[in-house]
Structures are given as structure tokens and as C-alpha cells.
Amino acid sequence: MKFTVLSLFPEILEAYFTSSIMAKAVEKGVVSYANINIRDFAADRHRTCDDAPYGGGAGMVLKPEPLAAALDSVGAGCLRTVCPTPSGRLFTQAYARELSAEREVVLICGRYEGIDQRVLDLYVNDEVSVGDYVLSSGEIAAMLVIDAVYRLLDGVITKESLEEESFCGGLLEYPQYTRPEVFRGLRVPDILLSGHHANIRQWRREQSILKTKKNRPELLGAADKI
Ligand code: SAM
């Protein structure tokens, strides 16, 4: 799968694509990427990419011309194009799964007050919010989207890891423990040391329900139906 990211600070994304598990996915050929600097498509001498908003108000807005030229250069018109923005639909695991079926996804990183609406109208399929808060820029949001998507691709992490985690089956994941058996007076639950797989499965399911009830009770109704 290919991720094409348009940003004013491609070096932020470069560090991400060349580190840790993502770097391995790139090396294996499971993921490829293109980091495009929007500023390279600005026509004036100062490579200007922002301007004041029509109608007045605080801040600056990303100008349409450089961004549209950058999008044209990557053929965004024919590709699934995603714009992270706090005013988008909420990003979820189900949506990450949907994106993971694409061959290529283009992401636009906003800055300042955001992007000229006409670019959204002309190029963007999905406006997605990574949560009900406002970040200072789109790079972190784009990395968040990419990260949730690429780990679902075959060959990145094991299938078993994906099957047992939060939101799979509608519940949050059960608590995890590793060695030592006792840490600062707290013991690992006996059941996990029993070797009895059916009982462990049952305990984990119960713990998942308890945790979901405590932290995200609104998920429980949906989980009952799965
Ligand atoms: N004026 C915008 C508003 O009130 O909706 C906020 C702009 S924000 C300061 C700058 C950029 O950060 C946005 O264009 C977007 O790319 C990114 N961003 C901020 N919060 C985000 C969120 N919750 N989800 C996705 N992207 C976000």
C-alpha cells in the first residue's frame, strides 16, 4: 500500500517512515510512501503557501493554488484522498480497516486555520477527525491515521495480535502482564499462571467487559451484537 503525504514539513513524516516497525514494512515492500512538500508547488519568489481568510478573523489559511498543484502532481483526482481536520468525521478502527483495503491513499496535512474549502470540494473524499480536540497541525493527525492503517496490512504484525486487541469484537482489551510474577507487592492473577487455556480465555473476556464498562460504556451495546 502506498501513502502519499502532502505537507509543509515533510521531514516530520520522513522520520516516521524511516523508524521502527514502519521502516521494516517499507523495507519489506508492504508499504511505500511519497513525502511531498507543498511549498515546492508555490509559484512566487517567497514560496508563499498561506494567506489571510476572506471575511476576516484570526490566523492564516493554506492557499489553494500550491496545494492543488501538489495534488495534481500525485494524481490525487483518481485516488482516495483524506484530509485530517477537527471538523471531520471521527476516525475509528472500522474506518482504518476500510482504508487498509486501498492501493494508495493521499493525505493532506493542514496548518494554521486550515485549508481553503475549494481544495476540499475538488479533491477530498474524506475529512476525518482524530479526536475532539484541536492539534496545531495535520502531520501528527496524518501519522496517526497512517499508523492505524498500515499495521492492519498483511506482513506488518501477526494476525493473532490483531485478533485480540481493543475494538476487535467491540470490546477493549483485557489487562496484560509479563514477568516478574510479583512487582511492588502486586501479583499476576493466578489464573494466568494456571496454564488452563479455556479458563484464561473466559477470564480475559470478563476483564474486557469490566474494562469496557469502566472506560467506554457506550461500546457495550454494540459489542452485545457481535
Ligand atoms: N481552525 C480549525 C478548526 O477550528 O477546525 C483548526 C485548525 S488546526 C489549528 C490546524 C490543522 O491541524 C488542521 O487543518 C488539521 O490538519 C490539523 N488538526 C488539528 N486538530 C485535528 C484533529 N482533531 N483531527 C485531525 N486533524 C486535526
Side-chain angles (χ1 to χ4, degrees):
M1 178 172 186
K2 182 171 181 183
F3 296 100
T4 295
V5 189
L6 278 62
S7 162
L8 287 173
F9 294 90
E11 61 274 20
I12 299 176
L13 275 301
E14 193 59 32
Y16 170 67
F17 280 115
T18 54
S19 306
S20 186
I21 303 173
M22 174 56 97
K24 289 204 183 90
V26 171
E27 200 180 295
K28 279 196 213 168
V30 178
V31 169
S32 64
Y33 69 97
N35 262 330
I36 308 297
N37 191 339
I38 301 165
R39 214 172 281 291
D40 290 343
F41 296 84
D44 68 320
R45 178 161 82 80
H46 301 291
R47 307 214 297 161
T48 310
C49 287
D50 60 318
D51 207 340
Y54 273 119
M60 302 295 269
V61 174
L62 278 186
K63 284 168 69 60
E65 305 93 321
L67 191 47
L71 284 160
D72 288 340
S73 79
V74 299
C78 313
L79 298 169
R80 183 89 176 251
T81 300
V82 176
C83 183
T85 163
S87 54
R89 73 191 243 212
L90 203 58
F91 184 63
T92 61
Q93 186 68 14
Y95 177 70
R97 214 163 263 292
E98 187 188 320
L99 277 191
S100 71
E102 296 285 341
R103 190 179 46 84
E104 179 169 355
V105 172
V106 177
L107 293 114
I108 305 171
C109 302
R111 286 245 154 197
Y112 322 121
E113 290 307 319
I115 291 169
D116 187 289
Q117 180 61 38
R118 291 163 293 184
V119 174
L120 300 175
D121 295 342
L122 288 168
Y123 292 92
V124 171
N125 302 107
D126 308 308
E127 293 175 68
V128 294
S129 166
V130 298
D132 290 344
Y133 43 80
V134 179
L135 302 167
S136 57
S137 66
E139 282 78 11
I140 290 173
M143 285 191 281
L144 191 150
V145 170
I146 294 166
D147 204 83
V149 171
Y150 95 98
R151 65 192 293 286
L152 300 174
L153 301 174
D154 279 349
V156 176
I157 56 176
T158 65
K159 274 202 166 50
E160 297 76 56
S161 297
L162 294 177
E163 279 162 11
E164 294 254 314
E165 63 190 3
S166 293
F167 307 112
C168 182
L171 295 173
L172 303 180
E173 197 184 57
Y174 46 80
Q176 300 274 13
Y177 295 87
T178 184
R179 278 187 281 260
E181 239 177 87
V182 183
F183 175 69
R184 297 195 181 170
L186 298 176
R187 289 191 69 78
V188 172
D190 287 340
I191 185 107
L192 297 179
L193 308 174
S194 68
H196 195 301
H197 296 298
N199 287 355
I200 291 173
R201 248 196 320 278
Q202 170 71 19
W203 179 86
R204 284 180 166 166
R205 168 98 189 151
E206 287 162 10
Q207 292 296 316
S208 275
I209 293 170
L210 284 175
K211 196 163 190 183
T212 309
K213 212 177 250 176
K214 179 169 171 247
N215 292 342
R216 297 289 305 278
E218 78 282 8
L219 295 177
L220 278 174
D224 292 345
K225 292 174 202 120
I226 292 171

